[in-house]
Structures are given as C-alpha cells and as structure tokens.
Amino acid sequence: MNIRWLVLAVLLSAGVSVALLYGAGEVLSRPATRAIGPPPADLHARSVRIPSGSEEFVAGWFAATTAKTGAVLLLHGVRSDRTQMLGRARALHRQGYTVLMIDLPAHGESTGDRITFGAKESAGVIAALTFLREKAPGERIGVIGVSLGAASTVLAKIESPPQAVVVESMYPTIEEAVADRLAMRLGPFGATLAPLLLWQLPARTGAKPEQLRPIERIASLGAPVLVASGSEDQHTTWAETERLFHSALAPKELWRVEGAAHVDLYAYNPSDYERKVLTFLNKHLRSNG
C-alpha cells in the first residue's frame, strides 16, 4: 500500500511539474506588447515605424544629429522595450551620435505574435540597421544589445556588418539559458527539467534549439565586439560569458562588471558604463581603430 501511494505521489508530482513548465513556456513566449507613446522632449527624437516583413514593422525613436560622427542602434532585453535604453541614448546623443532605439518584434509597439529568444527578433535588427544606414548615409554604425537584443544581433545574418558591437548579458545557448534559470528557481535539480521547456520551442516559436546558440555565431559578426556581463549574473554565468568572449574573433574586449547581477548595466553604474562603452565606440566609430 505504501509503495502504491509513493508511486501515485511521484506520478502526481511529475504531472504537476510538466503542467507548470508547460504554463511557463506559454508565459515566456507570450508577446510583451504595450503602448509607449511619444519620445521624451529632451531626446529631440521622432517616432518611426520600420517595415520588417510583408505586414510586420518595428516601432522606435530616431534621434539624428548633424555631427555626422557615427550612429548607434540600441536593442533592449526580453519583455522590455525601447525605454530601457533611454539612459544610453541620452549619453550617446550628448556625444554627438545619431541614435535609433527600437522595440524588438513582439515587444512594445512592434508587431509579432511570439517572443522567440532571438530567432525572429533578428529580422527586426536587420530592418533597423537598413533604416539607420539610409538615414545616416556614410556614417559608421554601432550596435548595443542587451540580453535578447544582443542575441538577436548575433543571430542575425547581417550582410553589411556594423563597425562595432556591444553585447551585454547574452546567453551562449538556449539550453544553458533555460537550465540556468530553472536552477535559480528550483535548485540544481531544476536544470534537469530544461528539456521539458525546450521541447516546446518549435511549436511555440517556430525555432529549434540549434538555431538559438549565439556562441556558434559570434565569430561571424564581422565587427569588433565588446562582451560585457555582471560578475554575479546567474542568468548567464561569468564562465559562460568568458566562453562567449573566447569564441569571438579579434578585435574584441571583455568587461566584467564587478558586483552586478542580471541587471541593466548602464543603470548599475552609469559613469563606468559611459567610460567603458563610449571609449570602445569612439575607437571604432570615430577612428580607423
């Protein structure tokens, strides 16, 4: 009798786990769309809608300058929107950079029916880069991508690479990203449940796990890259960040943000961020470096 009850308890527990993870898959891939509204007056930007498919578009803010000393595309993290990048945009604009901030597909005011962890978001990145080249002809272009924004950039097949790329808090593979997050919430055992989330990917997003491995694509960027992450980040561990850096081709730089977890690295320490990232961008966008 005791054995029978034990078996039933195990089966019930397994069933509950599967149901919870199935629900988690729905929540994680659900669009994070919302109204954003006009840009803040101090940014001197205008709202734009950039076509990214037959009936798709990405929404954003475009702040041009007359300095002609470089343009930067800013890409937010998962379930966020362009407002996450306002601090960076203001800092860059003060330095004379033209700035484009977009909502990635299925975020903010952009179209999209599912968050796909970089697979379909990469089309929005390509569309935004095309727009930026048209509106800032002849200027050297940089990209700053945070988490999902970073992965979407690295996974995009960009025909004309930018001249500098900053990737922040980017996962190396979707398998590790899922395992890390489950382990944070459920302990070491949680990582073993990752396959229960991953098998949902193709049905929910149209992307297979093998398509979501930025570590296998970062060497194809064709641009100088700055890889940044927090020393205490458990969503993407420092060991994983180091592997990403080692997979990238030179010229490359690695920035360990001491004490930072999986947070907005600009908000965590604006002065250090501006010093490190602006130095990197100035080197590659305003010189022959």
Side-chain angles (χ1 to χ4, degrees), residues 148-184:
L148 174 63
S152 301
T153 301
V154 173
L155 293 171
K157 296 178 181 179
I158 303 171
E159 292 184 2
S160 299
Q163 281 69 51
V165 176
V166 179
V167 295
E168 303 179 26
S169 311
M170 182 177 73
Y171 71 83
T173 70
I174 193 65
E175 293 93 340
E176 289 167 287
V178 170
D180 287 343
R181 285 153 179 78
L182 288 173
M184 287 175 60

Side-chain angles (χ1 to χ4, degrees), residues 23-108:
E26 168 63 25
V27 171
L28 290 172
S29 62
R30 185 181 300 161
T33 52
R34 61 184 70 87
I36 305 299
D42 66 293
L43 192 58
H44 305 291
R46 62 182 176 91
S47 297
V48 296
R49 283 191 173 187
I50 304 167
S52 58
S54 58
E55 297 182 359
E56 307 293 317
F57 65 83
V58 289
W61 292 329
F62 178 61
T65 69
T66 58
K68 304 297 181 184
T69 51
V72 182
L73 172 62
L74 298 174
L75 303 167
H76 61 79
V78 69
R79 308 202 72 80
S80 189
D81 56 59
R82 74 192 92 148
T83 60
Q84 182 188 19
M85 309 303 283
L86 267 172
R88 295 168 178 80
R90 289 183 170 113
L92 290 163
H93 208 53
R94 286 195 298 267
Q95 294 295 315
Y97 283 104
T98 287
V99 175
L100 173 62
M101 334 162 42
I102 66 165
D103 299 327
L104 289 165
H107 291 76

